[in-house]
Amino acid sequence: MAGETSHIWQVQSGAANGSRATATTSNTISFNAKPVTSSGGYVFKTEYGIRNAIPENESTGDNNNEIQDMGLDGLDIQLTGMFDSAKTDADVAKLVAWMVAGKTTTGYLKGRFGYENTEFPHFDVVPNGDENGLGTTYGYQIANIKFIQDGETHLTVGFVLTLRLAGDLDNAL
């Protein structure tokens, strides 16, 4: 749909592939490019955090502990936005259902959620259930979501949603 800049979708068991095109509208949430005025969702801040695994090895006889680079540990995306007409918006109910449901499914054992941001595509991921047979499985999982209702805007609800990338990170990115 025109004017939408980011999308999250849930891959269903038995999907031909993990692309957004294979997900139905009932399994996709699209966010508008501009603040909503009547209905729908809007993301006004997206944060991308890349983590490295760097353990610290204690040195009991020294004042200097050693650290070790263990490589890429993960990627987190945090979306902050709002839904208008929260009492009737199906997207709020969809997110709750996604949190209750499994974060993986048959064929997509690392993560069943995809993410696309047309304005900043560097961390877009289409879940891969190893359709290519190379052992490269990856996908996003919804780690948590927080809904915020501001006392002054009763017809809108804010949200903070965190996606975590799981699986073969090197090939996903």
Side-chain angles (χ1 to χ4, degrees):
M1 182 180 285
E4 295 171 343
T5 60
S6 58
H7 312 272
I8 299 172
W9 65 95
Q10 181 190 55
V11 178
Q12 300 303 303
S13 176
N17 59 53
S19 71
R20 185 165 56 98
T22 64
T24 63
T25 55
S26 64
N27 296 316
T28 304
I29 298 177
S30 297
F31 298 99
N32 295 313
K34 297 180 180 177
V36 293
T37 56
S38 59
S39 66
Y42 170 64
V43 173
F44 50 82
K45 181 168 74 170
T46 306
E47 300 175 53
Y48 304 90
I50 300 173
R51 298 183 318 276
N52 274 325
I54 303 179
E56 185 171 345
N57 302 315
E58 289 188 36
S59 178
T60 56
D62 224 349
N63 288 333
N64 186 15
N65 290 344
E66 294 292 325
I67 61 172
Q68 185 177 3
D69 181 6
M70 300 296 290
L72 185 63
D73 184 41
L75 168 69
D76 298 336
I77 298 178
Q78 183 168 299
L79 305 172
T80 304
M82 62 169 272
F83 290 112
D84 201 7
S85 302
K87 293 181 181 178
T88 59
D89 198 346
D91 289 336
V92 173
K94 193 180 304 183
L95 284 171
V96 171
W98 286 356
M99 285 300 295
V100 173
K103 308 305 175 277
T104 63
T105 189
T106 304
Y108 295 88
L109 302 178
K110 299 298 182 183
R112 71 186 300 184
F113 292 93
Y115 172 76
E116 177 185 8
N117 182 339
T118 58
E119 293 180 347
F120 191 73
H122 304 289
F123 302 106
D124 291 2
V125 167
V126 173
N128 186 343
D130 198 25
E131 296 90 1
N132 57 14
L134 299 176
T136 56
T137 59
Y138 49 80
Y140 282 110
Q141 295 186 26
I142 297 177
N144 56 57
I145 185 164
K146 180 178 7 176
F147 294 105
I148 307 152
Q149 185 176 18
D150 188 355
E152 296 180 13
T153 54
H154 296 288
L155 295 178
T156 63
V157 64
F159 67 88
V160 179
L161 176 122
T162 303
L163 296 168
R164 294 192 80 176
L165 185 58
D168 185 354
L169 302 177
D170 292 334
N171 282 309
L173 300 175

